[in-house]
Amino acid sequence: MEPATVTVSQAAQLHAQLVKTAPHSDSYLANATLRAYSKSSRPGRALKLFLHLQCHPFAPIPDHFTFSTLLSAAARLGSFAAGRQLHALLLKSALHSSSSHHSLNSLIFFYSSCRLLLPALQVFDEMPQRDVVSWTSAIAAAVDADSSGYALDLFESMMADGIPPNDATTVVALRACADLGALATGRRIHRFARVLGFSSNPNVSTALIDMYAKCGRLKCAEEIFDRMPEKDVFAWTAMIFGFSNHGKSREALDLFQRMVEMGVRPDDRTITAVLCACRSKGWVAEGYRVYNNMHKFGMRPRIQHYGCMVDLLARAGHLDEAEGFIKKIPIETDAVLWRTMIWASKLHGDEERAERLMEERLLLEIGSLDIGSYVLMGNVFGSVGKWREKAKVREMMVRRRVGKLPGCSRIEVNGMIHEFEAGDSGHPDGRMIYEKWGEVVEKLRMEGYSPTVSEVILDMEDEEKASQLNHHSEKLALAFGLIKKSPGEDILIVKNLRSCQDCHSAMKLISRVYNREITIRDRIKFHHFSNGICSCGDYW
Ligand code: ZN
Ligand code: ZN
């Protein structure tokens, strides 16, 4: 039976009562109590009560509601161990073979919240029956595990099975499209949503805004946004992010202003979006104004906001101020902030500061650093001529088995996503692509282009080595785009890292020489190359 709704304080009373009288209590009452806890700010209590009851010889037998409730409590707690145990218990119980997929759906959701795709898919594959919720949970699990390509495959299989998507499925499928830059598929899903009558559902509209913006179609995103009769904070935020990522910082800030005037309260992500807009133009004063006004919306800065401010200050060259800012942050900071600082010091030619900060900050945490920090350290040592130290960093990377993150670019051609890695030769059209790139380089050379290996390479992953410069993933994707797309069509490439200086200047030139609109979405923002210039104004 569906449990009734009780409040947390009622739950606490019931809890005490249940512990005393478990032998006489029914699962209906127990479920109501568990659910109240699970949805409260203390989901751990639901698991505790369950354990408590399990010790009673006559405890109520858990049913599907019990499992669903406990699994969502485990998901909210982020407790993998608890979820695992519930899974084992569920397998042992008689419920497993019954036709209700309630608890199995919750199980998929639980694994998905732990970003564990494989166990989620295993549960999904073994389900005797799958409903739209099962499919949606599996698709969401794939998106959350950075496997958006697979998520879209699942979406197609679901359609092929004759199960129509609902609004929630549409939202996750659109997230996958946004992630991949899969514009053609995103448009097709938009059409389904229209036919099925939920394209004006606010969550779907917001997902559409995000998808179009991330696929380089800011105008389409704006149209959907403007048509929404009631805009919630998520819609406003998606649109502000859209402007901000496309380098339209003025529009992003104006929209934020409008949102506040309309009485919509911003949330953490809104502030992040606005600060990103300031960062990408180096607007320090504007950034401070937003940051200092957060309390007016009842918000306290969180680590992501501090990160934006440090990035804004450091990138704009206010290095002393940025360093002082980090030191005053009242919560625990991570290596990322210092990495930003070190990178910016290097960008502004303050090698001394870069080296000092590295020794004071990064070297202390050497055991827990990510690849980006190692590569950055190697570069800082290299730029001050400390080759021995640089070699040590390399050696540490090898010893700690920190692999390099391969640069990867995607491009959609005729509704299919093609993926390229740096120096990739695995593509069926590989030869043609390399020949095309050779031809492009020849043409560019005649326009005065020569490959530049800049000292200040932004993310400085290993991909960005001179030897491979010519075959960076976005260049391969671009060559493929030039082959496959007719002259009028613009080219959208989605890259997992930041572009290096050389790719950036090559793209500018190509947009003029080949008269193409080229858009690259890198890890941070959009670059629209048109007639020899980039929308970022070379500030990135
Ligand atoms: Zn490059
Ligand atoms: Zn650019």
Side-chain angles (χ1 to χ4, degrees):
M1 200 196 316
E2 173 101 32
T5 310
V6 299
T7 65
V8 183
S9 57
Q10 284 168 331
Q13 287 170 16
L14 284 168
H15 185 153
Q17 193 189 323
L18 282 169
V19 171
K20 269 188 251 157
T21 63
H24 313 290
S25 65
D26 58 9
S27 70
Y28 169 74
L29 201 57
N31 279 345
T33 315
L34 292 175
R35 183 181 277 198
Y37 278 150
S38 164
K39 288 188 169 174
S40 75
S41 56
R42 313 276 301 265
R45 287 193 189 178
L47 297 165
K48 252 194 196 149
L49 171 60
F50 178 69
L51 278 182
H52 221 120
L53 292 179
Q54 287 302 294
C55 300
H56 267 286
F58 305 109
I61 296 167
D63 61 11
H64 278 296
F65 280 112
T66 321
F67 277 110
S68 305
T69 306
L70 292 172
L71 281 165
S72 76
R76 285 194 53 211
L77 267 180
S79 168
F80 176 65
R84 251 336 243 249
Q85 279 175 0
L86 288 165
H87 188 175
L89 213 59
L90 185 64
L91 288 178
K92 273 193 251 161
S93 78
L95 293 168
H96 184 237
S97 51
S98 80
S99 62
S100 164
H101 19 245
H102 232 81
S103 31
L104 294 178
N105 285 346
S106 312
L107 203 48
I108 300 176
F109 174 76
F110 162 74
Y111 282 121
S112 147
S113 72
C114 296
R115 290 175 155 256
L116 290 168
L117 180 58
L118 292 181
L121 288 179
Q122 199 182 347
V123 176
F124 177 76
D125 287 340
E126 288 169 1
M127 282 176 92
Q129 268 183 1
R130 300 177 193 125
D131 60 5
V132 64
V133 180
S134 330
W135 283 97
T136 305
S137 307
I139 296 169
V143 177
D144 286 338
D146 291 327
S147 302
S148 291
Y150 187 65
L152 289 183
D153 285 352
L154 279 171
F155 181 75
E156 300 295 345
S157 309
M158 169 181 160
M159 300 291 278
D161 268 15
I163 296 182
N166 62 16
D167 51 345
T169 329
T170 308
V171 168
V172 285
L174 286 171
R175 265 177 60 205
C177 295
D179 205 23
L180 295 167
L183 179 62
T185 311
R187 276 188 175 142
R188 198 157 54 89
I189 295 173
H190 188 180
R191 280 196 296 273
F192 287 146
R194 230 183 267 141
V195 172
L196 295 169
F198 43 73
S199 64
S200 53
N201 167 303
N203 297 336
V204 174
S205 298
T206 300
L208 283 168
I209 293 170
D210 188 51
M211 184 277 291
Y212 279 119
K214 288 200 176 131
C215 290
R217 289 292 187 277
L218 198 59
K219 274 268 159 294
C220 300
E222 271 186 89
E223 274 167 30
I224 291 167
F225 179 77
D226 289 340
R227 272 205 302 264
M228 284 178 82
E230 297 222 355
K231 304 171 177 68
D232 58 12
V233 59
F234 305 109
W236 287 95
T237 304
M239 198 61 234
I240 295 172
F241 260 122
F243 281 131
S244 166
N245 291 337
H246 282 264
K248 295 191 179 288
S249 299
R250 187 37 50 212
E251 286 84 343
L253 262 66
D254 288 348
L255 198 64
F256 176 63
Q257 184 67 32
R258 238 176 80 202
M259 163 182 176
V260 173
E261 282 165 10
M262 305 270 288
V264 180
R265 207 168 122 151
D267 67 8
D268 282 338
R269 288 190 72 249
T270 324
I271 301 294
T272 305
V274 179
L275 290 178
C276 284
C278 298
R279 177 183 61 186
S280 72
K281 286 286 191 289
W283 290 344
V284 172
E286 305 261 11
Y288 264 125
R289 210 169 48 226
V290 175
Y291 173 81
N292 289 332
N293 279 335
M294 282 178 76
H295 67 94
K296 288 192 186 158
F297 307 113
M299 267 186 274
R300 272 193 207 173
R302 297 165 73 112
I303 188 73
Q304 61 267 34
H305 306 126
Y306 292 126
C308 283
M309 284 304 291
V310 170
D311 207 0
L312 165 61
L313 293 170
R315 216 172 273 241
H318 301 225
L319 296 174
D320 279 331
E321 207 176 330
E323 200 181 330
F325 188 93
I326 304 187
K327 288 184 179 148
K328 275 191 269 169
I329 293 177
I331 54 176
E332 202 183 326
T333 54
D334 52 17
V336 177
L337 288 184
W338 292 107
R339 220 176 87 185
T340 307
M341 242 347 271
I342 295 167
W343 171 77
S345 307
K346 228 173 147 295
L347 178 77
H348 291 286
D350 193 342
E351 310 287 0
E352 218 173 282
R353 187 192 301 265
E355 198 189 344
R356 174 175 59 77
L357 290 178
M358 199 170 69
E359 278 169 3
E360 281 175 14
R361 304 290 164 177
L362 287 191
L363 289 178
L364 299 178
E365 301 175 40
I366 194 81
S368 58
L369 291 182
D370 60 346
I371 167 149
S373 304
Y374 280 109
V375 179
L376 176 60
M377 284 199 293
N379 274 30
V380 171
F381 280 133
S383 66
V384 293
K386 296 196 168 175
W387 303 108
R388 193 184 271 267
E389 280 81 356
K390 181 171 176 159
K392 259 193 215 155
V393 171
R394 287 250 149 239
E395 200 187 289
M396 236 158 358
M397 282 176 78
V398 175
R399 251 193 291 134
R400 278 204 54 226
R401 293 170 201 268
V402 186
K404 64 174 182 179
L405 184 64
C408 166
S409 295
R410 301 193 186 102
I411 181 169
E412 187 187 52
V413 172
N414 299 328
M416 277 257 298
I417 299 284
H418 296 259
E419 206 169 82
F420 295 89
E421 283 189 9
D424 200 347
S425 51
H427 196 277
D429 292 327
R431 235 183 98 171
M432 206 159 70
I433 293 168
Y434 280 95
E435 275 172 20
K436 183 71 186 178
W437 182 251
E439 174 207 307
V440 172
V441 172
E442 269 319 298
K443 259 196 176 172
L444 295 189
R445 271 190 218 284
M446 291 198 287
E447 299 283 325
Y449 159 84
S450 66
T452 45
V453 191
S454 165
E455 252 306 300
V456 195
I457 300 168
L458 293 148
D459 249 35
M460 296 173 284
E461 264 89 5
D462 258 8
E463 185 208 19
E464 325 292 15
K465 273 191 206 157
S467 58
Q468 290 187 350
L469 204 58
N470 243 333
H471 298 143
H472 280 178
S473 57
E474 60 267 59
K475 287 174 175 151
L476 300 178
L478 178 87
F480 185 65
L482 287 174
I483 298 168
K484 294 289 180 187
K485 298 206 169 214
S486 47
E489 270 184 279
D490 36 351
I491 294 175
L492 168 69
I493 295 168
V494 175
K495 189 179 182 193
N496 63 337
L497 310 174
R498 283 193 213 184
S499 279
C500 75
Q501 210 126 50
D502 182 61
C503 287
H504 196 262
S505 35
M507 295 295 167
K508 284 201 287 190
L509 212 49
I510 295 167
S511 70
R512 179 161 62 78
V513 175
Y514 284 81
N515 191 21
R516 288 272 191 164
E517 300 281 320
I518 303 167
T519 304
I520 295 194
R521 186 181 104 202
D522 70 13
R523 215 182 55 192
I524 307 292
K525 61 153 76 168
F526 274 90
H527 299 267
H528 292 289
F529 302 93
S530 177
N531 198 22
I533 39 180
C534 178
S535 61
C536 76
D538 299 339
Y539 187 93
W540 84 95

